[in-house]
Amino acid sequence: MDLHRFLDQAGGVLALVSLTATVVWGLVAADRLALGPRGRLLAQAVHRALAIGALGFLLVHVGVKVAEAHASTTAALIPFASGIGGRAGLIGLGSLAGYLLVLAAATGVLRSVFAGRGRAAARRWRVLHASAYGAWCTALLHGLNAGREAAEWVTGCYVGCLVGVTLALVLRRFGVRVGRFAVRRRPVGAHAAGRMPQSRPFTVSWGSAPDPAPQTPEGLELPALEDITRRSA
């Protein structure tokens, strides 16, 4: 099998597999419970590399299909330009998946622009970047029905993609819930022994910090230690 024929038959599958791996590693990179800062940085690097691979396979897939006249340039560039039913609608789903993938990749590149601008900007970034899930769903529907009858290994790849993303979502959701429950129910210090904790302000220093001064109501001052000694004498 030559390279051109291989890309014609497997380019879309490679794009979907790369997109699936991108989504899974994106979920891994967002985990703050199991991964430390270095682990998250590594997962984010893998996530970005896989996203670049998915975009590359997408361009190859679209280029080969247009060159082979399996889809027109208009249908490839404009979602549902040829209609919304039958094979034309399935091709439109593929075009839509491509644009959603580009949107997710663009928001990933522009993440620093949204960072540090408050919760509203962070919420908008998450909504835009979540377009990767829409790209994955539409790409899966497109790949299963738009082309020729899939071979067994292709069907196996699609099933593996579905299982992988579903498992990552379940583990992500379950892990977050378990982590929050552990934080709320975790006994610390005096709580574990059943004693009432003493409220002290939290301080950070390089050496051993002295005990904090006793708190007094406003307008009252505690006498100095020298005054107490002088009076008792």
Side-chain angles (χ1 to χ4, degrees):
M1 179 183 297
D2 57 1
L3 180 60
H4 183 80
R5 184 180 177 186
F6 173 77
L7 292 177
D8 182 27
Q9 296 182 0
V13 179
L14 294 175
L16 179 62
V17 171
S18 300
L19 177 58
T20 301
T22 303
V23 172
V24 171
W25 275 97
L27 292 170
V28 172
D31 188 6
R32 297 177 180 268
L33 299 176
L35 295 180
R38 293 183 179 179
R40 292 183 62 209
L41 287 176
L42 178 60
Q44 289 172 4
V46 175
H47 171 67
R48 295 189 186 100
L50 290 170
I52 294 174
L55 288 172
F57 285 124
L58 173 64
L59 292 176
V60 171
H61 174 60
V62 174
V64 170
K65 292 302 180 182
V66 172
E68 292 291 331
H70 294 162
S72 64
T73 305
T74 303
L77 295 179
I78 303 177
F80 308 107
S82 301
I84 59 175
R87 187 173 182 274
L90 294 173
I91 295 177
L93 284 177
S95 302
L96 178 62
Y99 282 112
L100 291 175
L101 176 57
V102 171
L103 176 61
T107 53
V109 173
L110 299 176
R111 181 177 183 179
S112 59
V113 177
F114 292 85
R117 297 193 176 185
R119 294 183 177 180
R123 190 178 301 111
R124 286 193 294 268
W125 180 86
R126 291 191 185 94
V127 171
L128 292 174
H129 198 62
S131 59
Y133 297 109
W136 180 81
C137 292
T138 52
L140 186 64
L141 293 175
H142 165 78
L144 285 174
N145 301 289
R148 62 178 64 90
E149 184 178 355
E152 293 183 359
W153 69 272
V154 175
T155 304
C157 288
Y158 286 145
V159 173
C161 291
L162 180 60
V163 172
V165 171
T166 303
L167 183 61
L169 286 171
V170 170
L171 291 178
R172 166 70 175 159
R173 189 63 179 173
F174 180 75
V176 169
R177 289 183 177 180
V178 170
R180 290 176 180 174
F181 179 79
V183 169
R184 293 175 181 175
R185 299 296 300 273
R186 181 176 55 192
V188 179
H191 294 278
R195 301 190 299 270
M196 292 296 295
Q198 297 179 357
S199 60
R200 293 187 176 184
F202 178 76
T203 58
V204 178
S205 61
W206 291 105
S208 57
D211 293 336
Q215 303 293 325
T216 59
E218 296 182 0
L220 297 179
E221 296 183 357
L222 291 179
L225 180 60
E226 298 177 356
D227 297 338
I228 297 176
T229 305
R230 189 182 301 110
R231 292 174 185 177
S232 61

